[in-house]
PDB file of all heavy atoms in Angstrom:
ATOM      1  N   ILE A  18     157.595 308.381 245.536  1.00 98.00           N
ATOM      2  CA  ILE A  18     158.045 307.593 244.452  1.00 98.00           C
ATOM      3  C   ILE A  18     157.982 306.103 244.689  1.00 98.00           C
ATOM      4  O   ILE A  18     157.452 305.348 243.858  1.00 98.00           O
ATOM      5  CB  ILE A  18     159.592 307.968 243.981  1.00 98.00           C
ATOM      6  CG1 ILE A  18     159.515 309.542 243.462  1.00 98.00           C
ATOM      7  CG2 ILE A  18     159.968 306.998 242.841  1.00 98.00           C
ATOM      8  CD1 ILE A  18     160.936 309.978 243.238  1.00 98.00           C
ATOM      9  N   ALA A  19     158.397 305.714 245.876  1.00 98.00           N
ATOM     10  CA  ALA A  19     158.304 304.312 246.194  1.00 98.00           C
ATOM     11  C   ALA A  19     156.879 303.789 246.221  1.00 98.00           C
ATOM     12  O   ALA A  19     156.541 302.687 245.715  1.00 98.00           O
ATOM     13  CB  ALA A  19     158.906 304.118 247.588  1.00 98.00           C
ATOM     14  N   ALA A  20     155.930 304.661 246.821  1.00 98.00           N
ATOM     15  CA  ALA A  20     154.591 304.113 246.931  1.00 98.00           C
ATOM     16  C   ALA A  20     153.790 304.107 245.561  1.00 98.00           C
ATOM     17  O   ALA A  20     152.806 303.434 245.439  1.00 98.00           O
ATOM     18  CB  ALA A  20     153.814 305.042 248.009  1.00 98.00           C
ATOM     19  N   THR A  21     154.188 305.023 244.624  1.00 98.00           N
ATOM     20  CA  THR A  21     153.435 305.057 243.416  1.00 98.00           C
ATOM     21  C   THR A  21     154.070 304.472 242.165  1.00 98.00           C
ATOM     22  O   THR A  21     153.415 304.045 241.222  1.00 98.00           O
ATOM     23  CB  THR A  21     153.148 306.484 243.119  1.00 98.00           C
ATOM     24  OG1 THR A  21     154.446 307.233 242.977  1.00 98.00           O
ATOM     25  CG2 THR A  21     152.425 307.253 244.065  1.00 98.00           C
ATOM     26  N   SER A  22     155.433 304.109 242.287  1.00 98.00           N
ATOM     27  CA  SER A  22     156.108 303.488 241.183  1.00 98.00           C
ATOM     28  C   SER A  22     156.160 301.906 241.328  1.00 98.00           C
ATOM     29  O   SER A  22     156.134 301.269 240.375  1.00 98.00           O
ATOM     30  CB  SER A  22     157.451 304.130 241.001  1.00 98.00           C
ATOM     31  OG  SER A  22     158.366 303.731 242.039  1.00 98.00           O
ATOM     32  N   GLY A  23     156.167 301.462 242.590  1.00 94.00           N
ATOM     33  CA  GLY A  23     156.342 300.081 242.758  1.00 94.00           C
ATOM     34  C   GLY A  23     155.000 299.439 243.171  1.00 94.00           C
ATOM     35  O   GLY A  23     154.274 300.121 243.774  1.00 94.00           O
ATOM     36  N   ALA A  24     154.895 298.225 242.848  1.00 98.00           N
ATOM     37  CA  ALA A  24     153.663 297.526 243.273  1.00 98.00           C
ATOM     38  C   ALA A  24     153.683 297.230 244.759  1.00 98.00           C
ATOM     39  O   ALA A  24     152.774 297.161 245.466  1.00 98.00           O
ATOM     40  CB  ALA A  24     153.426 296.176 242.472  1.00 98.00           C
ATOM     41  N   SER A  25     154.945 297.095 245.356  1.00 98.00           N
ATOM     42  CA  SER A  25     155.226 296.822 246.693  1.00 98.00           C
ATOM     43  C   SER A  25     156.208 297.876 247.230  1.00 98.00           C
ATOM     44  O   SER A  25     157.204 298.213 246.489  1.00 98.00           O
ATOM     45  CB  SER A  25     155.705 295.464 247.038  1.00 98.00           C
ATOM     46  OG  SER A  25     154.821 294.500 246.801  1.00 98.00           O
ATOM     47  N   TRP A  26     155.981 298.549 248.317  1.00 98.00           N
ATOM     48  CA  TRP A  26     156.927 299.406 248.942  1.00 98.00           C
ATOM     49  C   TRP A  26     157.060 299.150 250.518  1.00 98.00           C
ATOM     50  O   TRP A  26     156.141 298.614 251.049  1.00 98.00           O
ATOM     51  CB  TRP A  26     156.619 300.830 248.615  1.00 98.00           C
ATOM     52  CG  TRP A  26     155.615 301.557 249.425  1.00 98.00           C
ATOM     53  CD1 TRP A  26     154.240 301.176 249.556  1.00 98.00           C
ATOM     54  CD2 TRP A  26     155.704 302.622 250.363  1.00 98.00           C
ATOM     55  NE1 TRP A  26     153.579 301.967 250.454  1.00 98.00           N
ATOM     56  CE2 TRP A  26     154.492 302.895 250.950  1.00 98.00           C
ATOM     57  CE3 TRP A  26     156.778 303.405 250.722  1.00 98.00           C
ATOM     58  CZ2 TRP A  26     154.262 303.926 251.845  1.00 98.00           C
ATOM     59  CZ3 TRP A  26     156.713 304.469 251.651  1.00 98.00           C
ATOM     60  CH2 TRP A  26     155.354 304.749 252.182  1.00 98.00           C
ATOM     61  N   GLY A  27     158.147 299.662 251.048  1.00 98.00           N
ATOM     62  CA  GLY A  27     158.340 299.394 252.486  1.00 98.00           C
ATOM     63  C   GLY A  27     159.037 300.594 253.200  1.00 98.00           C
ATOM     64  O   GLY A  27     159.721 301.416 252.520  1.00 98.00           O
ATOM     65  N   MET A  28     158.759 300.636 254.578  1.00 98.00           N
ATOM     66  CA  MET A  28     159.312 301.683 255.330  1.00 98.00           C
ATOM     67  C   MET A  28     159.567 301.260 256.710  1.00 98.00           C
ATOM     68  O   MET A  28     158.878 300.543 257.371  1.00 98.00           O
ATOM     69  CB  MET A  28     158.250 302.797 255.452  1.00 98.00           C
ATOM     70  CG  MET A  28     158.673 304.120 256.155  1.00 98.00           C
ATOM     71  SD  MET A  28     157.280 305.254 256.100  1.00 98.00           S
ATOM     72  CE  MET A  28     156.627 304.948 257.651  1.00 98.00           C
ATOM     73  N   TYR A  29     160.840 301.531 257.187  1.00 98.00           N
ATOM     74  CA  TYR A  29     161.274 301.256 258.549  1.00 98.00           C
ATOM     75  C   TYR A  29     160.867 302.393 259.538  1.00 98.00           C
ATOM     76  O   TYR A  29     161.064 303.615 259.238  1.00 98.00           O
ATOM     77  CB  TYR A  29     162.772 300.944 258.582  1.00 98.00           C
ATOM     78  CG  TYR A  29     163.526 301.018 259.845  1.00 98.00           C
ATOM     79  CD1 TYR A  29     163.078 300.399 260.970  1.00 98.00           C
ATOM     80  CD2 TYR A  29     164.584 301.872 259.953  1.00 98.00           C
ATOM     81  CE1 TYR A  29     163.780 300.539 262.219  1.00 98.00           C
ATOM     82  CE2 TYR A  29     165.242 302.001 261.180  1.00 98.00           C
ATOM     83  CZ  TYR A  29     164.841 301.351 262.246  1.00 98.00           C
ATOM     84  OH  TYR A  29     165.483 301.493 263.486  1.00 98.00           O
ATOM     85  N   ALA A  30     160.490 301.984 260.682  1.00 98.00           N
ATOM     86  CA  ALA A  30     160.057 302.975 261.673  1.00 98.00           C
ATOM     87  C   ALA A  30     161.163 303.984 262.005  1.00 98.00           C
ATOM     88  O   ALA A  30     162.284 303.752 262.019  1.00 98.00           O
ATOM     89  CB  ALA A  30     159.741 302.303 263.048  1.00 98.00           C
ATOM     90  N   GLY A  31     160.757 305.305 262.112  1.00 98.00           N
ATOM     91  CA  GLY A  31     161.570 306.517 262.233  1.00 98.00           C
ATOM     92  C   GLY A  31     161.679 307.305 260.994  1.00 98.00           C
ATOM     93  O   GLY A  31     161.968 308.473 261.040  1.00 98.00           O
ATOM     94  N   PHE A  32     161.350 306.662 259.811  1.00 98.00           N
ATOM     95  CA  PHE A  32     161.289 307.413 258.536  1.00 98.00           C
ATOM     96  C   PHE A  32     160.238 308.590 258.600  1.00 98.00           C
ATOM     97  O   PHE A  32     160.510 309.663 258.202  1.00 98.00           O
ATOM     98  CB  PHE A  32     160.955 306.427 257.444  1.00 98.00           C
ATOM     99  CG  PHE A  32     161.145 307.214 256.033  1.00 98.00           C
ATOM    100  CD1 PHE A  32     162.220 307.155 255.352  1.00 98.00           C
ATOM    101  CD2 PHE A  32     159.959 307.669 255.474  1.00 98.00           C
ATOM    102  CE1 PHE A  32     162.328 307.741 254.078  1.00 98.00           C
ATOM    103  CE2 PHE A  32     160.009 308.301 254.242  1.00 98.00           C
ATOM    104  CZ  PHE A  32     161.219 308.314 253.519  1.00 98.00           C
ATOM    105  N   GLU A  33     159.066 308.202 259.216  1.00 98.00           N
ATOM    106  CA  GLU A  33     158.043 309.218 259.275  1.00 98.00           C
ATOM    107  C   GLU A  33     158.320 310.223 260.293  1.00 98.00           C
ATOM    108  O   GLU A  33     157.670 311.243 260.391  1.00 98.00           O
ATOM    109  CB  GLU A  33     156.706 308.465 259.679  1.00 98.00           C
ATOM    110  CG  GLU A  33     156.715 307.758 260.996  1.00 98.00           C
ATOM    111  CD  GLU A  33     157.151 306.424 261.027  1.00 98.00           C
ATOM    112  OE1 GLU A  33     158.230 306.089 260.467  1.00 98.00           O
ATOM    113  OE2 GLU A  33     156.476 305.506 261.575  1.00 98.00           O
ATOM    114  N   LEU A  34     159.388 310.094 261.096  1.00 98.00           N
ATOM    115  CA  LEU A  34     159.862 311.156 262.023  1.00 98.00           C
ATOM    116  C   LEU A  34     161.004 312.003 261.494  1.00 98.00           C
ATOM    117  O   LEU A  34     161.616 312.740 262.214  1.00 98.00           O
ATOM    118  CB  LEU A  34     160.148 310.523 263.370  1.00 98.00           C
ATOM    119  CG  LEU A  34     158.987 309.818 264.130  1.00 98.00           C
ATOM    120  CD1 LEU A  34     159.527 309.242 265.440  1.00 98.00           C
ATOM    121  CD2 LEU A  34     157.764 310.648 264.268  1.00 98.00           C
ATOM    122  N   TYR A  35     161.347 311.654 260.269  1.00 98.00           N
ATOM    123  CA  TYR A  35     162.526 312.353 259.576  1.00 98.00           C
ATOM    124  C   TYR A  35     163.860 312.053 260.188  1.00 98.00           C
ATOM    125  O   TYR A  35     164.738 312.964 260.270  1.00 98.00           O
ATOM    126  CB  TYR A  35     162.306 313.872 259.535  1.00 98.00           C
ATOM    127  CG  TYR A  35     160.927 314.312 258.825  1.00 98.00           C
ATOM    128  CD1 TYR A  35     159.946 314.862 259.567  1.00 98.00           C
ATOM    129  CD2 TYR A  35     160.879 314.137 257.359  1.00 98.00           C
ATOM    130  CE1 TYR A  35     158.768 315.246 258.914  1.00 98.00           C
ATOM    131  CE2 TYR A  35     159.706 314.612 256.726  1.00 98.00           C
ATOM    132  CZ  TYR A  35     158.683 315.131 257.526  1.00 98.00           C
ATOM    133  OH  TYR A  35     157.480 315.530 256.881  1.00 98.00           O
ATOM    134  N   GLU A  36     164.039 310.860 260.823  1.00 98.00           N
ATOM    135  CA  GLU A  36     165.272 310.498 261.358  1.00 98.00           C
ATOM    136  C   GLU A  36     166.412 310.396 260.263  1.00 98.00           C
ATOM    137  O   GLU A  36     166.304 309.602 259.450  1.00 98.00           O
ATOM    138  CB  GLU A  36     165.216 309.162 262.107  1.00 98.00           C
ATOM    139  CG  GLU A  36     164.280 309.173 263.289  1.00 98.00           C
ATOM    140  CD  GLU A  36     164.148 307.862 264.178  1.00 98.00           C
ATOM    141  OE1 GLU A  36     164.746 306.896 263.633  1.00 98.00           O
ATOM    142  OE2 GLU A  36     163.455 307.822 265.178  1.00 98.00           O
ATOM    143  N   SER A  37     167.398 311.397 260.499  1.00 98.00           N
ATOM    144  CA  SER A  37     168.346 311.495 259.360  1.00 98.00           C
ATOM    145  C   SER A  37     169.781 311.639 259.780  1.00 98.00           C
ATOM    146  O   SER A  37     170.656 311.786 258.929  1.00 98.00           O
ATOM    147  CB  SER A  37     167.934 312.832 258.522  1.00 98.00           C
ATOM    148  OG  SER A  37     168.057 313.925 259.327  1.00 98.00           O
ATOM    149  N   VAL A  38     169.969 311.451 261.097  1.00 97.00           N
ATOM    150  CA  VAL A  38     171.444 311.536 261.594  1.00 97.00           C
ATOM    151  C   VAL A  38     172.173 310.345 261.449  1.00 97.00           C
ATOM    152  O   VAL A  38     171.666 309.242 262.053  1.00 97.00           O
ATOM    153  CB  VAL A  38     171.492 312.170 263.017  1.00 97.00           C
ATOM    154  CG1 VAL A  38     172.927 312.246 263.415  1.00 97.00           C
ATOM    155  CG2 VAL A  38     170.818 313.528 263.124  1.00 97.00           C
ATOM    156  N   ALA A  39     173.286 310.264 260.795  1.00 97.00           N
ATOM    157  CA  ALA A  39     173.960 309.083 260.476  1.00 97.00           C
ATOM    158  C   ALA A  39     175.117 308.816 261.451  1.00 97.00           C
ATOM    159  O   ALA A  39     175.667 309.881 262.014  1.00 97.00           O
ATOM    160  CB  ALA A  39     174.511 308.978 259.029  1.00 97.00           C
ATOM    161  N   ARG A  40     175.536 307.591 261.577  1.00 94.00           N
ATOM    162  CA  ARG A  40     176.725 307.298 262.247  1.00 94.00           C
ATOM    163  C   ARG A  40     177.872 307.814 261.401  1.00 94.00           C
ATOM    164  O   ARG A  40     177.923 307.596 260.176  1.00 94.00           O
ATOM    165  CB  ARG A  40     176.940 305.855 262.500  1.00 94.00           C
ATOM    166  CG  ARG A  40     178.115 305.459 263.321  1.00 94.00           C
ATOM    167  CD  ARG A  40     177.991 303.989 263.803  1.00 94.00           C
ATOM    168  NE  ARG A  40     177.707 303.039 262.765  1.00 94.00           N
ATOM    169  CZ  ARG A  40     178.601 302.419 261.997  1.00 94.00           C
ATOM    170  NH1 ARG A  40     179.906 302.753 262.164  1.00 94.00           N
ATOM    171  NH2 ARG A  40     178.348 301.633 261.167  1.00 94.00           N
ATOM    172  N   PRO A  41     178.832 308.622 261.970  1.00 93.00           N
ATOM    173  CA  PRO A  41     179.943 309.221 261.051  1.00 93.00           C
ATOM    174  C   PRO A  41     180.524 308.216 260.146  1.00 93.00           C
ATOM    175  O   PRO A  41     181.033 307.135 260.567  1.00 93.00           O
ATOM    176  CB  PRO A  41     180.872 309.781 262.136  1.00 93.00           C
ATOM    177  CG  PRO A  41     180.068 310.076 263.309  1.00 93.00           C
ATOM    178  CD  PRO A  41     179.064 308.913 263.357  1.00 93.00           C
ATOM    179  N   GLY A  42     180.505 308.588 258.872  1.00 90.00           N
ATOM    180  CA  GLY A  42     181.286 307.760 257.891  1.00 90.00           C
ATOM    181  C   GLY A  42     180.345 306.529 257.413  1.00 90.00           C
ATOM    182  O   GLY A  42     180.917 305.669 256.680  1.00 90.00           O
ATOM    183  N   ALA A  43     179.181 306.428 257.807  1.00 91.00           N
ATOM    184  CA  ALA A  43     178.291 305.358 257.470  1.00 91.00           C
ATOM    185  C   ALA A  43     176.991 305.710 256.840  1.00 91.00           C
ATOM    186  O   ALA A  43     176.589 306.988 256.999  1.00 91.00           O
ATOM    187  CB  ALA A  43     178.055 304.450 258.710  1.00 91.00           C
ATOM    188  N   GLU A  44     176.310 304.791 256.187  1.00 94.00           N
ATOM    189  CA  GLU A  44     175.025 305.042 255.640  1.00 94.00           C
ATOM    190  C   GLU A  44     173.910 304.369 256.497  1.00 94.00           C
ATOM    191  O   GLU A  44     173.118 303.619 256.026  1.00 94.00           O
ATOM    192  CB  GLU A  44     174.965 304.658 254.162  1.00 94.00           C
ATOM    193  CG  GLU A  44     175.500 305.643 253.198  1.00 94.00           C
ATOM    194  CD  GLU A  44     174.982 305.447 251.715  1.00 94.00           C
ATOM    195  OE1 GLU A  44     174.639 304.372 251.497  1.00 94.00           O
ATOM    196  OE2 GLU A  44     174.912 306.474 251.035  1.00 94.00           O
ATOM    197  N   GLU A  45     174.028 304.561 257.828  1.00 94.00           N
ATOM    198  CA  GLU A  45     173.011 304.002 258.719  1.00 94.00           C
ATOM    199  C   GLU A  45     172.795 304.969 259.799  1.00 94.00           C
ATOM    200  O   GLU A  45     173.660 305.815 260.122  1.00 94.00           O
ATOM    201  CB  GLU A  45     173.320 302.627 259.193  1.00 94.00           C
ATOM    202  CG  GLU A  45     174.558 302.557 260.184  1.00 94.00           C
ATOM    203  CD  GLU A  45     174.820 301.134 260.603  1.00 94.00           C
ATOM    204  OE1 GLU A  45     174.597 300.111 259.770  1.00 94.00           O
ATOM    205  OE2 GLU A  45     175.120 300.939 261.764  1.00 94.00           O
ATOM    206  N   ASN A  46     171.643 304.848 260.487  1.00 96.00           N
ATOM    207  CA  ASN A  46     171.423 305.849 261.712  1.00 96.00           C
ATOM    208  C   ASN A  46     172.390 305.785 262.704  1.00 96.00           C
ATOM    209  O   ASN A  46     172.876 304.698 263.116  1.00 96.00           O
ATOM    210  CB  ASN A  46     169.936 305.567 262.215  1.00 96.00           C
ATOM    211  CG  ASN A  46     168.878 305.898 261.227  1.00 96.00           C
ATOM    212  OD1 ASN A  46     168.577 305.075 260.324  1.00 96.00           O
ATOM    213  ND2 ASN A  46     168.299 307.055 261.333  1.00 96.00           N
ATOM    214  N   ILE A  47     172.773 306.821 263.339  1.00 96.00           N
ATOM    215  CA  ILE A  47     173.469 306.874 264.587  1.00 96.00           C
ATOM    216  C   ILE A  47     172.557 306.229 265.689  1.00 96.00           C
ATOM    217  O   ILE A  47     171.391 306.355 265.627  1.00 96.00           O
ATOM    218  CB  ILE A  47     173.916 308.298 264.951  1.00 96.00           C
ATOM    219  CG1 ILE A  47     175.094 308.135 265.912  1.00 96.00           C
ATOM    220  CG2 ILE A  47     172.877 309.112 265.381  1.00 96.00           C
ATOM    221  CD1 ILE A  47     175.804 309.499 266.195  1.00 96.00           C
TER     222      ILE A  47
END
């Protein structure tokens, strides 16, 4: 959706490795 709906899109390293474990109680990576 990001790549096809926006004229510009961005990605931070680790997304392509499916990094999905968060610090408990937070919306950021552990």
Side-chain angles (χ1 to χ4, degrees):
I18 295 174
T21 58
S22 66
S25 292
W26 80 295
M28 188 179 92
Y29 156 57
F32 185 90
E33 64 270 51
L34 300 180
Y35 302 110
E36 292 181 358
S37 60
V38 180
R40 182 164 56 84
E44 279 200 330
E45 65 178 43
N46 292 84
I47 196 167

